[in-house]
Amino acid sequence: MELDAIVTDPAGVEAWRLSDDAVLNLLPELSERMRQLDALRVRLAHEVHERCLNKKVGGASTADWLSGACRLTPGHARKLVAAAHSVRHRPDVADAMTSGTTDVDQVRAITNLLDQIPDLLRGTEPELVEECTRQCTDYLVAAAEHEHAGETTRRAAALRTMLERDQDGPAPDDENPALNEFHVTQMPGGRVRLKGTFDKITGEQFMTAVSSLSKPTPGRNNATGELEPDPRSPAQRRADAVADIVRFYLDSGAAPREGGERPHMTVFVDLRDLENATRNTNATSQNPVTQQSVQSSFLRRGPSWMPWLGPITVATAGTVSCDASITPIVMDEDGNPLDVGHTTRVIPKRIRKALEARDCGCAFPNCGRPTAWTDGHHIHHWSNGGPTALNNLVLLCRHHHTLIHKNDWQVVISTDDGHPWFIPPRWVDPDRQPIPAHNRQRLAFTG
């Protein structure tokens, strides 16, 4: 099918009837035609402006009329009008746009740089400024024919950096750390929104730190040996990476002191609530927390809470408490502290070292995240009398630590080899056959 026939009656095209070659060939041709049509729209918008036609029909400006008449957002309408103005005296750029080899966004990136060249070369002979403008125009127009607008924008930014001669002057905005901003907002539902802008150096460091931690992890949610695609979106992977970086920073002990202590996360939780949350289902039904204690806990602060962001579920507090420093505080029934005991580490350093030597990272099958990114999980929780001993501990990354606390999976330490084995839920394996830890996945369970 010819492109002209498709453009004449696009609604009548039965795409499923087209051959593979036709689909692959038509899409690039159609995209070029759309760029040509967009360039025609820019030229017509310029005529509206030059003839003041918007005033005949009551438009406050060309962009205002264009937005209403063509159902464009005001920003898009302004962009088209600006493109028309920017190419008036730049025939090479205008020709590239008209032919469909460049789009409006590329034109904006190119003309923005060309407009800055006289200032960048202030004090230079006019002939040299003109020659530099011509060379930059030829270079960017030729490059734009083979790349998208984002790459053209970066290419123009690189040229601007090369033309900037005054090294002693103020840094350009994209390299000026004084313009950095970072906002943290607690939303009504309890979540936290982060928003900010950073200079190029800080941004590069941030993206470098996040990149390796945000790669897709095939098989993340299964342990069958089949490496299924990571179900997380790119945004979720980056969020998980940032969470890992923050946890690693707090765990490293390298941060400056605040309030006389190293920065740390504090969670307040009633011990009886914590015991109830970490029991298995059968134990919970046999040893319920009294109604009086639940009401008292909720009336004071909630079942558990944090100084910055307030209440969290007891289940989340149970996950956090697996590998933490515990400070017992005796409270009266009105929530007033009566006595503060000595802070103790739930998992001592010597046992943590032994755990790292045994599990070599997250022990969950097909994971293996480095030990620096893991928590020590009590198989039988310490708040229910579980010992802090090697045969009751396993290293888990935050994702799999949470998964284990949901009781979908179970962990056992084999009496034969002393290593952790993972029992999947029935929806993963109806027979619930134990699976060895990540660093020992070729083994068979011996009980």
Side-chain angles (χ1 to χ4, degrees):
M1 180 175 285
E2 295 295 329
L3 179 62
D4 289 337
I6 290 178
V7 174
T8 301
D9 183 23
V13 176
E14 295 178 315
W16 63 274
R17 291 183 179 273
L18 300 176
S19 67
D20 293 351
D21 288 341
V23 172
L24 293 174
N25 292 329
L26 282 172
L27 274 172
E29 293 177 10
L30 182 60
S31 297
E32 183 176 1
R33 182 65 61 86
M34 292 172 67
R35 289 193 293 270
Q36 293 171 347
L37 292 173
D38 209 25
L40 175 58
R41 184 165 60 173
V42 168
R43 298 202 306 275
L44 292 176
H46 178 64
E47 290 301 316
V48 171
H49 178 77
E50 288 295 303
R51 303 181 192 184
C52 298
L53 297 180
N54 57 286
K55 294 182 179 179
K56 289 186 177 182
V57 291
S61 65
T62 302
D64 179 67
W65 173 84
L66 193 63
S67 175
C70 301
R71 293 187 294 176
L72 302 175
T73 64
H76 193 183
R78 287 193 295 270
K79 181 170 68 174
L80 295 178
V81 174
H85 294 332
S86 68
V87 298
R88 283 180 301 176
H89 307 298
R90 305 192 189 284
D92 292 342
V93 182
D95 290 345
M97 181 175 64
T98 301
S99 66
T101 58
T102 61
D103 60 28
V104 172
D105 290 324
Q106 289 175 312
V107 167
R108 181 170 58 173
I110 294 171
T111 56
N112 279 347
L113 172 69
L114 298 181
D115 290 341
Q116 294 178 55
I117 288 179
D119 288 333
L120 293 171
L121 300 182
R122 185 181 291 112
T124 305
E125 294 294 330
E127 295 80 6
L128 293 178
V129 174
E130 184 178 347
E131 176 63 18
C132 178
T133 301
R134 185 190 64 78
Q135 291 185 13
C136 288
T137 301
D138 293 344
Y139 170 70
L140 291 174
V141 167
E145 186 175 351
H146 307 286
E147 62 190 18
H148 58 69
E151 293 172 335
T152 303
T153 300
R154 287 192 289 270
R155 194 180 298 275
L159 282 176
R160 184 193 184 283
T161 301
M162 294 169 61
L163 294 172
E164 180 66 68
R165 298 184 307 168
D166 185 5
Q167 300 298 326
D168 297 328
D173 288 352
D174 58 352
E175 297 179 12
N176 188 354
L179 301 178
N180 292 357
E181 292 182 337
F182 186 65
H183 305 277
V184 182
T185 305
Q186 184 178 359
M187 301 170 65
R191 295 183 64 82
V192 174
R193 173 178 291 161
L194 309 179
K195 181 180 179 181
T197 63
F198 297 95
D199 62 278
K200 279 186 174 179
I201 298 300
T202 305
E204 184 73 14
Q205 292 171 338
F206 176 82
M207 294 176 71
T208 300
V210 168
S211 176
S212 62
L213 293 173
S214 59
K215 295 177 181 177
T217 308
R220 177 180 173 86
N221 286 336
N222 88 87
T224 61
E226 300 178 4
L227 298 183
E228 299 175 355
D230 193 326
R232 299 173 298 166
S233 68
Q236 289 172 324
R237 295 199 306 269
R238 288 191 294 271
D240 289 344
V242 172
D244 282 341
I245 291 170
V246 172
R247 289 179 56 241
F248 180 76
Y249 172 73
L250 292 178
D251 290 344
S252 69
R257 293 181 177 273
E258 183 178 31
E261 296 183 290
R262 295 290 186 188
H264 60 283
M265 186 176 74
T266 302
V267 177
F268 297 87
V269 59
D270 188 290
L271 181 59
R272 291 164 297 184
D273 292 331
L274 186 60
E275 290 173 348
N276 189 50
T278 52
R279 289 192 185 101
N280 58 42
T281 304
N282 293 333
T284 301
S285 62
Q286 296 170 2
N287 299 287
V289 178
T290 65
Q291 185 67 24
Q292 180 180 359
S293 67
V294 172
Q295 290 178 345
S296 174
S297 177
F298 271 84
L299 286 173
R300 286 200 308 271
R301 299 186 170 110
S304 52
W305 64 286
M306 301 180 297
W308 280 103
L309 297 176
I312 58 173
T313 62
V314 179
T316 299
T319 302
V320 173
S321 67
C322 262
D323 188 3
S325 296
I326 307 298
T327 303
I329 303 176
V330 180
M331 315 278 283
D332 65 19
E333 60 184 15
D334 295 320
N336 297 310
L338 297 177
D339 185 40
V340 179
H342 294 289
T343 298
T344 58
R345 179 76 182 179
V346 172
I347 300 180
K349 289 184 178 179
R350 66 182 187 280
I351 295 182
R352 172 75 191 201
K353 294 292 185 183
L355 265 178
E356 294 175 354
R358 186 195 69 187
D359 294 345
C360 304
C362 179
F364 194 89
N366 293 323
C367 183
R369 299 203 75 185
T371 57
W373 311 103
T374 59
D375 299 325
H377 168 69
H378 285 74
I379 297 172
H380 179 53
H381 204 275
W382 65 268
S383 64
N384 295 322
T388 302
L390 199 59
N391 61 3
N392 189 47
L393 294 168
V394 61
L395 286 183
L396 296 171
C397 69
R398 178 51 56 95
H399 171 75
H400 290 120
H401 194 179
T402 302
L403 192 69
I404 293 295
H405 271 270
K406 291 180 178 178
N407 292 325
D408 290 338
W409 290 73
Q410 291 179 317
V411 189
V412 297
I413 300 296
S414 171
T415 57
D416 181 69
D417 62 13
H419 284 267
W421 290 72
F422 293 79
I423 302 175
R426 295 196 183 279
W427 57 267
V428 173
D429 178 9
D431 297 327
R432 305 199 71 191
Q433 290 295 317
I435 304 171
H438 174 76
N439 63 328
R440 295 164 57 81
Q441 285 203 273
R442 297 184 180 275
L443 302 179
F445 186 68
T446 57

